[in-house]
Amino acid sequence: MDVTGYNINKEPLAGLLGEAGDGRSQLPDFQRGWVWDDEHVRSLLASISLGYPVGTVMMLKAGGEGLRFKQRPFEGAPPPDHEAADRLVLDGQQRLTSLFQSLRLDRPVRTRDQRGREIERWYYIDMQLALDPNADREEAVVSLPADRQIKRFGRDVLKDYSSPKREYEEMLFPLSKVFDADAWMVEFQEFWQYDREKIQFWNTFNRQVVRRFDQYQVPVIELGKDTPKEAVCQVFEKVNTGGVTLTVFELLTATFAADDFELRRDWEDREREIHAQAILSGVANTDFVQAVTLLATLERRKSALRDGTDEDRAPRVGCKRADMLRLGLSDYQRWADPLMEGFKNAARFLHTQHLYDAKFLPYGSQLIPLAAIMTVLGRDWEPHAAREKLTRWYWCGVMGELYGGATETRFARDLPEVVGWIRGDGPEPLTIYDAEFAPARLLTLRTRNSAAYKGVYALLLSEGARDWMTGEESSIQSYFDESIDIHHIFPQKWCGEHGIEPARCDSIVNKTPLTARTNRSIGGAAPSEYLGAYR
């Protein structure tokens, strides 16, 4: 984004809250709901009353051609008069909503107490405490229940502030009147019969507290309407470090919603179907969108090449965040259904590799290119020769440990290279060429945190590993019915007694698939002792 793509100005708090009230400023749909509790609201009001800075607000100028989001008004604001907002709030939502509800709405604020229970509160300033130089300003900010009565055990009324007369008498100024304080001041002075000391007291309070709200200036960073989507995503993540991370899925949800497509609901339906397969239970919404992006960019590149575009100038295949953010609704709708079949075929393939459960899946990330490959191949993956090639590519990725960390570039290579190789149109994929595995690595594979560890376990199953007690070969049925897992061959107790170092004892070379019942029967004996009992 060009450095001239944003402005930094100071704007009156009253004006910002006015925009929130009439809809000129709204929230993009990816913003989370308002969640601040009573203590946070009181602290914020205290800071404003002292003229202290409370942070910068970041706005996005609405109306850009390629940047359309579904919008919603601030919580508590009436339906907007404007069809579309002039600006969208990227950072500062919690502060602006707190101030809007407590200062602009003439009704109690719906917030939460320290235990997270929903409560309704009116906010006041104890005028005498606010002018006490030795008092804590936060203690001067008072929150009262919706009926403005303080009760004991929820029944006996201890103090009642439910009428303006009681406010004047107790010297409590309602912050909902802070931008229209003159009318309250007239009634206050009339109540005290224009007592000179009370008039002077009000003038001091007005000067030191009320005017600070009216004169308060908020630093506002305004991003231009031509700001690219990827910049919005990155900026939102940087400034909302204490909030919810804005994923590509959330941003696309807001973008597609502008065309009346509910991406979240669409994914929820697909998620149930995908997660019905245990091996696919770890597939997330961003994984699905990433696979869709691979397919859409591959189709885009092929179309450009067919039209005669030079290979170096044709759109590349990609699935990085910037590629995903450029995904159009038509792209998603074009590929979402075929990809569902791709994931189902990916599960079928993984079952043939004796991988049945997501917790034993070496790389969840490798499912993304695998599902995309299956989608493009259709039934072309089913012949024996095709399966052999697919199997070789898959296990080179696992045992070569090539899918940890940033893998988007590899995904983008895998899709065209594996498809072309299987169909006989291209050379061996780079993933196969890049794969290396040193035998000494086996002694360092000790926990399921390692993809290669899970890979060796699956390969043991695929090679026909049998349970020592039952003699049955591992299969899908026995895998689930008999609770097969990977267990020590030489038990830890035996290794400890014979001076075998823990690292060697726990390595994959000392483990094999066994049922839970068989593992319990081993105890602390060596194989030379317990195997004889199973014959």
Side-chain angles (χ1 to χ4, degrees):
M1 184 174 61
D2 189 85
V3 292
T4 61
Y6 64 91
N7 299 310
I8 303 176
N9 297 299
K10 287 185 177 180
E11 299 186 20
L13 174 62
L16 287 173
L17 300 185
E19 287 186 16
D22 64 22
R24 283 174 292 161
S25 291
Q26 296 185 43
L27 304 172
D29 199 47
F30 53 74
Q31 281 274 27
R32 63 174 175 161
W34 183 63
V35 296
W36 268 20
D37 59 23
D38 177 61
E39 186 177 351
H40 276 89
V41 177
R42 289 178 54 246
S43 178
L44 176 65
L45 292 169
S47 295
I48 298 288
S49 74
L50 290 164
Y52 292 170
V54 295
T56 302
V57 169
M58 184 173 291
M59 301 276 202
L60 172 67
K61 193 74 174 174
E65 287 294 325
L67 202 60
R68 297 173 59 235
F69 298 120
K70 186 176 181 179
Q71 305 164 9
R72 72 174 193 273
F74 281 78
E75 292 188 38
D81 297 329
H82 302 261
E83 291 185 5
D86 295 333
R87 301 193 293 185
L88 301 176
V89 178
L90 294 183
D91 183 42
Q93 174 207 2
Q94 302 295 320
R95 284 165 286 154
L96 289 179
T97 303
S98 298
L99 294 170
F100 173 71
Q101 293 200 4
S102 57
L103 304 180
R104 278 289 185 184
L105 295 183
D106 194 22
R107 60 175 183 265
V109 177
R110 300 187 68 177
T111 180
R112 293 176 175 82
D113 62 15
Q114 289 182 326
R115 297 181 179 179
R117 296 176 300 189
E118 290 192 2
I119 56 175
E120 292 187 333
R121 288 291 185 267
W122 291 97
Y123 291 93
Y124 287 80
I125 283 191
D126 183 318
M127 299 167 70
Q128 293 173 311
L129 204 56
L131 295 184
D132 183 346
N134 298 315
D136 186 336
R137 182 57 60 87
E138 286 194 27
E139 292 181 3
V141 178
V142 180
S143 72
L144 297 178
D147 59 7
R148 294 187 251 215
Q149 294 179 340
I150 297 177
K151 301 175 182 177
R152 181 173 58 187
F153 305 121
R155 294 190 301 273
D156 300 331
V157 178
L158 300 179
K159 290 191 176 182
D160 185 348
Y161 307 100
S162 59
S163 68
K165 177 183 175 181
R166 297 294 296 158
E167 295 172 357
Y168 309 144
E169 189 174 19
E170 296 294 333
M171 309 286 276
L172 281 184
F173 177 75
L175 284 169
S176 59
K177 306 294 184 184
V178 75
F179 293 119
D180 186 23
D182 288 347
W184 193 89
M185 176 266 294
V186 170
E187 298 290 336
F188 173 80
Q189 294 180 355
E190 183 179 334
F191 174 82
W192 290 104
Q193 298 180 346
Y194 303 101
D195 179 85
R196 184 178 182 84
E197 287 187 5
K198 289 296 188 291
I199 292 175
Q200 290 178 341
F201 177 84
W202 165 261
N203 289 340
T204 302
F205 176 76
N206 184 49
R207 184 175 63 255
Q208 293 188 15
V209 178
V210 175
R211 287 185 184 175
R212 283 184 176 150
F213 284 87
D214 202 42
Q215 297 171 355
Y216 195 87
Q217 300 282 311
V218 180
V220 176
I221 299 174
E222 184 179 85
L223 304 182
K225 63 182 180 181
D226 295 326
T227 303
K229 261 189 273 189
E230 52 265 36
V232 172
C233 188
Q234 186 167 358
V235 165
F236 188 88
E237 288 177 348
K238 296 298 183 186
V239 300
N240 281 272
T241 54
V244 177
T245 300
L246 177 62
T247 66
V248 170
F249 183 82
E250 297 294 336
L251 196 53
L252 287 177
T253 297
T255 304
F256 291 174
D259 292 315
D260 297 321
F261 182 83
E262 297 185 37
L263 179 59
R264 186 177 303 283
R265 180 174 295 181
D266 181 81
W267 164 247
E268 287 171 354
D269 293 338
R270 298 183 189 280
E271 181 183 36
R272 283 190 291 272
E273 189 174 346
I274 290 174
H275 287 186
Q277 304 251 17
I279 193 66
L280 303 180
S281 61
V283 175
N285 51 32
T286 49
D287 298 331
F288 191 82
V289 171
Q290 198 166 28
V292 168
T293 305
L294 279 174
L295 295 164
T297 55
L298 177 64
E299 184 177 52
R300 207 171 294 142
R301 178 173 176 80
K302 286 182 175 180
S303 177
L305 292 174
R306 283 194 301 268
D307 292 341
T309 304
D310 184 84
E311 284 202 11
D312 293 336
R313 296 185 178 182
R316 62 179 178 80
V317 180
C319 60
K320 293 183 179 179
R321 184 167 67 174
D323 301 309
M324 296 164 71
L325 289 171
R326 284 193 287 268
L327 189 72
L329 177 57
S330 60
D331 294 323
Y332 180 83
Q333 292 174 319
R334 159 77 177 86
W335 287 107
D337 285 343
L339 182 59
M340 292 294 291
E341 290 302 311
F343 271 106
K344 290 176 186 177
N345 283 332
R348 285 177 57 197
F349 167 76
L350 292 172
H351 289 164
T352 67
Q353 306 304 305
H354 289 259
L355 289 163
Y356 311 115
D357 194 313
K359 72 178 180 179
F360 291 107
L361 189 65
Y363 285 113
S365 59
Q366 201 174 359
L367 268 172
I368 296 169
L370 176 60
I373 289 165
M374 291 297 202
T375 302
V376 176
L377 287 176
R379 302 196 65 171
D380 289 349
W381 78 277
E382 295 178 348
H384 179 70
R387 290 188 186 223
E388 281 194 331
K389 287 183 175 181
L390 192 62
T391 300
R392 188 178 172 201
W393 162 78
Y394 182 79
W395 287 109
C396 280
V398 171
M399 302 311 295
E401 299 181 284
L402 299 176
Y403 290 91
T407 51
E408 294 90 346
T409 300
R410 187 169 297 280
F411 294 172
R413 287 204 309 256
D414 279 337
L415 178 56
E417 289 181 356
V418 175
V419 169
W421 182 49
I422 288 176
R423 287 180 169 168
D425 300 331
E428 195 174 79
L430 280 174
T431 293
I432 294 175
Y433 179 82
D434 292 341
E436 293 182 1
F437 188 84
R441 177 76 173 110
L442 290 169
L443 294 174
T444 68
L445 302 176
R446 302 183 188 109
T447 69
R448 289 197 182 101
N449 294 331
S450 165
Y453 179 100
K454 297 178 183 179
V456 171
Y457 175 42
L459 290 172
L460 286 170
L461 291 173
S462 66
E463 289 297 315
R466 295 178 181 272
D467 185 77
W468 295 331
M469 179 182 289
T470 65
E472 292 179 355
E473 184 176 322
S474 301
S475 64
I476 295 179
Q477 183 176 355
S478 64
Y479 178 87
F480 288 105
D481 293 349
E482 298 293 339
S483 300
I484 289 179
D485 203 340
I486 193 161
H487 296 290
H488 289 81
I489 299 171
F490 286 86
Q492 288 175 309
K493 180 181 178 183
W494 185 94
C495 289
E497 292 172 348
H498 290 79
I500 307 298
E501 59 186 57
R504 192 175 187 86
C505 173
D506 292 332
S507 71
I508 193 70
V509 298
N510 188 37
K511 293 180 181 177
T512 192
L514 296 172
T515 65
R517 186 162 53 120
T518 300
N519 184 56
R520 287 193 298 270
S521 71
I522 289 173
S528 57
E529 297 178 41
Y530 65 72
L531 285 177
Y534 300 142
R535 292 173 185 163

